[in-house]
Amino acid sequence: MTTAVSNTLLALLLALKNLENPLSEEEHEALTDLGKQLKRNPNDWNLNKQKLMAILKANDTLKQLYQKAKAKLDALDRPIPPDLLPIDADLKELKDVLPPESEANKRAHIPGKPD
């Protein structure tokens, strides 16, 4: 993952953390869908970034918080030290507040080599 992508996603997380009013149901659903899309296709960043910018455009407060965090992250002259990045405990806490993933959306995995 490039620094620009990392900064964008980290800025989004910081903006969400600092957001005082909760997201609307539509915004929450849009971010959930974006997260699922990123999980399925992490390399399709251009499309995912467009979706993220559309979500931010719809919420001025979130957009302002994102832009402030992004500007600070982009101003760093070196990569963020690994000890400042989220750890497994943080990710578990995040999973606890996110809605569970539907079993219907999971694909079966059959081990072996495809024909």
Side-chain angles (χ1 to χ4, degrees):
M1 187 179 300
T2 67
T3 302
V5 174
S6 298
N7 285 357
T8 299
L9 295 176
L10 188 53
L12 174 63
L13 291 175
L14 291 169
L16 289 169
K17 179 182 181 279
N18 294 319
L19 191 63
E20 292 181 10
N21 296 321
L23 295 174
S24 70
E25 185 69 31
E26 293 82 22
E27 292 167 329
H28 188 270
E29 189 174 309
L31 281 173
T32 301
D33 289 345
L34 177 61
K36 289 177 183 178
Q37 182 66 32
L38 279 167
K39 185 176 180 179
R40 281 192 299 266
N41 293 321
N43 296 327
D44 193 5
W45 177 240
N46 290 332
L47 177 62
N48 291 321
K49 186 175 181 181
Q50 289 175 355
K51 290 179 181 181
L52 173 59
M53 294 305 131
I55 293 167
L56 292 172
K57 187 177 179 181
N59 185 323
D60 284 335
T61 305
L62 182 62
K63 181 180 178 182
Q64 289 174 4
L65 291 169
Y66 165 81
Q67 288 174 334
K68 286 179 186 177
K70 181 86 164 71
K72 288 178 182 179
L73 290 168
D74 288 345
L76 294 174
D77 59 350
R78 56 184 163 70
I80 299 170
D83 60 326
L84 295 179
L85 294 174
I87 58 172
D88 289 339
D90 297 330
L91 297 176
K92 183 190 178 315
E93 181 180 334
L94 184 61
K95 286 180 183 178
D96 290 343
V97 297
L98 292 175
E101 191 173 325
S102 170
E103 292 295 321
N105 291 338
K106 291 187 178 181
R107 292 184 174 199
H109 174 69
I110 301 171
K113 294 183 180 179
D115 292 335

